[in-house]
Amino acid sequence: PKAGVPIDFYADSSGTTTGDGSAENPTTIADAVDLAAAGDRVLLYPGVYTVTVALAMDVAGVILQPVNYTPGNRVCTVEIANDTDDVNTIDVTAARCVIQGVLLTKGVANTTDGTELIDVNSGGDYLVIRDCVFDLEARTNADGINFATGTKGHLVENNLFTDLATAKSAIVSAASTEIIRHNHFDGTAGDFIFYEQIASPGAGGWIGANTIISDAAAGGAAKNLLSLQATPGKIAVSHNYVFDGG
């Protein structure tokens, strides 16, 4: 292929590093992500992909999705399972990437706080996360998504966040320029924070049209579902539906 033509790279849960990423000879998920250039797609055949080192999405415009992904549906035929202590599942450091249609799980608790299923750092602007399932499996010290200071313009839509540990966060943000819409946050397993705004918030975000089920039975461990800074910046919160699951 010539420059500027997107390529599809295929990965299989039983793929090997000798694969070239073609449909007939798929490679591993880590190698497929490494092979992808700007605008390319990493297509995952159905299966469970176990991550021991964080997937590094460090090339702009890469798309990660199942081979049979249909927009608007959480297909969940692909599971990216992280069973390693203190390791993020996906690290995003390049702009305009897309993650869609996958199930992300955390199979073990973490020794230290601040380990995420998706960690978005400097350079990872305009990330789109849609139609995914975040199953934290009530693991200690694990959050769903973290948006670091200085990142901007993210879209999080039509995802399911479930089974968070008590007092942990589905989304942590020091950017606060995200659009977070049409997601479902299931907090019936423990009292959690669905959106936690931390230091140095930006401006221009909207949190709307989400459904949030809380757990009023958590008692002394109870946390605010939405945690904003004293000076939260220009962020709008509207048209969310909150239910008590306790």
Side-chain angles (χ1 to χ4, degrees), residues 2 15 64 86 99 112 121 128 143 145 160 168 177 185 200:
K2 59 186 179 181
L64 178 67
D86 291 348
I99 302 169
T112 58
N121 290 293
V128 175
D143 296 309
I145 306 171
L160 168 63
K168 296 309 297 177
T177 62
F185 299 88
S200 304

Side-chain angles (χ1 to χ4, degrees), residues 46-213:
V48 177
Y49 297 78
T50 301
V51 172
T52 57
V53 177
L55 295 175
M57 297 188 72
D58 53 6
V59 175
V62 170
I63 300 169
L64 178 67
Q65 67 177 60
V67 68
N68 59 346
Y69 170 68
T70 302
N73 294 318
R74 303 187 191 106
V75 290
C76 288
T77 56
V78 169
E79 178 181 356
I80 303 176
N82 183 351
D83 294 334
T84 305
D85 184 20
D86 291 348
V87 169
N88 297 324
T89 304
I90 301 175
D91 285 336
V92 181
T93 56
R96 302 181 303 281
C97 291
V98 178
I99 302 169
Q100 53 194 12
V102 298
L103 164 64
L104 297 107
T105 61
K106 183 67 177 174
V108 296
N110 300 304
T111 303
T112 58
D113 203 0
T115 303
E116 292 83 27
L117 292 179
I118 299 179
D119 193 25
V120 186
N121 290 293
S122 178
D125 299 332
Y126 311 114
L127 173 65
V128 175
I129 304 171
R130 65 161 64 95
D131 300 328
C132 293
V133 174
F134 293 80
D135 184 357
L136 276 296
E137 301 183 80
R139 301 304 179 185
T140 304
N141 297 321
D143 296 309
I145 306 171
N146 175 68
F147 294 112
T149 300
T151 63
K152 61 186 178 182
H154 313 294
L155 174 62
V156 182
E157 65 178 0
N158 197 36
N159 302 285
L160 168 63
F161 296 81
T162 186
D163 208 8
L164 282 89
T166 297
K168 296 309 297 177
S169 301
I171 299 173
V172 180
S173 177
S176 304
T177 62
E178 307 89 17
I179 295 175
I180 300 172
R181 65 187 183 192
H182 303 297
N183 301 283
H184 181 73
F185 299 88
D186 180 2
T188 55
D191 211 358
F192 76 112
I193 307 168
F194 93 88
Y195 182 85
E196 181 180 9
Q197 184 187 65
I198 56 178
S200 304
W206 178 58
I207 302 170
N210 301 288
T211 55
I212 305 144
I213 300 179

